[in-house]
Amino acid sequence: MTDETANTVKLATELTMAWLSNPNTRTSADDVPAFLKSMHDALIGLSSAPAEASAEEAAPEFTGAVTSRKSLANPDVIISMIDGKPYKTLTRHLSTNGLTPAEYRTRYGLKTDYPMTAPSYSAMRRDMAKKIGLGRKPGQKAPAKAADLAPVPKRGRPAKVVEPD
């Protein structure tokens, strides 16, 4: 037996002993040799896999459903490069496909500043946040706008204008 085979048998034996020492494992003596053989086969498969896997696991080339320019063409939506559908924000769509924004950008060769939300959606959220006072320091007042300072017209019917005779 070579050293590699001896190490594989020893490791398979240790794994089988650990499996048997688990109090939740209920097995008969007849099942132990079959489990030991399956562990040994699995370890042999793992030891020969790195050479084969590196050749097979060359990074797959992903092509986008649309170009990056077309995905950003409409300010109301951002088009996914995965399926070509429009979204206001891509973060939930990416998580359902098992990607993070960084992985998405890497997969399709996008720049690090590629947006994950549509520009109009971002502007709407920014305006809403400013309106409710987010981003200001405590005690700081909102700057007064010219539209806010204009007099508010009274409600009701306008007063009658009486012209002199």
Side-chain angles (χ1 to χ4, degrees):
M1 241 195 280
T2 64
D3 287 338
E4 187 176 320
T5 307
N7 288 339
T8 306
V9 170
K10 184 178 178 183
L11 184 58
T13 306
E14 289 176 4
L15 289 170
T16 304
M17 289 188 319
W19 176 66
L20 290 171
S21 67
N22 184 347
N24 295 326
T25 303
R26 293 192 177 102
T27 186
S28 65
D30 298 333
D31 295 337
V32 175
F35 183 77
L36 180 59
K37 180 164 178 29
S38 69
M39 289 303 293
H40 184 261
D41 293 342
L43 290 172
I44 288 175
L46 289 174
S47 66
S48 65
E52 298 169 7
S54 63
E56 291 176 14
E57 198 178 309
E61 193 65 32
F62 292 101
T63 56
V66 295
T67 63
S68 62
R69 182 178 225 169
K70 185 172 181 177
S71 71
L72 299 174
N74 187 348
D76 295 330
V77 293
I78 186 165
I79 299 174
S80 168
M81 298 184 87
I82 297 171
D83 58 5
K85 293 181 181 177
Y87 298 93
K88 287 191 178 199
T89 179
L90 286 177
T91 49
R92 183 176 291 163
H93 170 64
L94 294 180
S95 66
T96 58
N97 286 293
L99 293 172
T100 64
E103 291 169 345
Y104 176 76
R105 289 179 179 119
T106 304
R107 177 185 276 192
Y108 294 107
L110 303 170
K111 294 181 180 178
T112 56
D113 62 346
Y114 183 85
M116 290 291 121
T117 59
S120 65
Y121 183 72
S122 296
M124 181 205 51
R125 294 288 302 253
R126 180 178 42 251
D127 293 342
M128 187 184 334
K130 285 182 179 180
K131 184 178 179 181
I132 63 172
L134 295 178
R136 287 193 304 245
K137 293 182 178 160
Q140 187 179 11
K141 303 258 182 178
K145 294 182 182 176
D148 294 338
L149 299 175
V152 179
K154 294 183 179 180
R155 294 184 144 206
R157 196 169 68 185
K160 259 187 176 176
V161 178
V162 178
E163 293 182 17
D165 288 327

